[in-house]
Amino acid sequence: MSSPEIASISWGQMKVKGCSTTYKDCKVWPGGSRTWDWRETGTNHSPGVQPADLEEVVKKGVKTLVIGRGMSEALQVPSSTVEYLKKNGIDAVVLQTEKAVAEYNALAAQGVKVGGVFHSTC
């Protein structure tokens, strides 16, 4: 199963190829995607992305996980979150969201088992 291409990204809106939903923030993995609802884990811009935000994608067997920090990189990614990924044998890529989407799509096109969590505003 391949990772779905992110068809478009703009402020507050993301589209995943093959999915009719328009996301604000989203999670993607080989074979699927869904809304990334920060309320599920109590996530805020600071301290930022927590391991609990990534568990669902990690469980899908990804080899690389791309984190999009927002258009202005307001979303923090603590070193403990990157360590969590490394401990699970997953490469972490943390970038500004538009760059993160480009990297994710490039990896997906190469057939890498890649997942991602992307914040589409600040």
Side-chain angles (χ1 to χ4, degrees):
M1 214 174 300
S2 60
S3 299
E5 177 187 345
I6 296 173
S8 65
I9 173 77
S10 60
W11 185 275
Q13 295 191 327
M14 295 185 68
K15 294 286 288 175
V16 175
K17 194 171 186 176
C19 179
S20 60
T21 305
T22 298
Y23 300 113
K24 176 179 171 262
D25 299 323
C26 77
K27 296 181 178 189
V28 290
W29 58 83
S33 65
R34 78 171 183 93
T35 294
W36 177 17
D37 183 349
W38 291 15
R39 293 172 296 195
E40 292 173 357
T41 55
T43 295
N44 286 296
H45 288 102
S46 181
V49 183
Q50 304 301 304
D53 294 307
L54 308 178
E55 283 175 3
E56 177 181 15
V57 179
V58 166
K59 287 178 182 171
K60 303 291 184 182
V62 299
K63 300 296 175 211
T64 302
L65 199 145
V66 181
I67 300 172
R69 294 189 49 214
M71 299 303 208
S72 304
E73 298 185 271
L75 180 60
Q76 301 300 302
V77 181
S79 58
S80 57
T81 299
V82 174
E83 287 304 315
Y84 162 78
L85 291 171
K86 286 183 181 169
K87 202 166 66 185
N88 282 280
I90 298 167
D91 294 328
V93 179
V94 180
L95 297 166
Q96 184 268 355
T97 294
E98 290 161 308
K99 292 176 181 160
V101 165
E103 181 67 16
Y104 166 88
N105 279 342
L107 290 167
Q110 293 166 23
V112 174
K113 280 191 90 172
V114 61
V117 295
F118 302 98
H119 178 44
S120 74
T121 58
C122 40

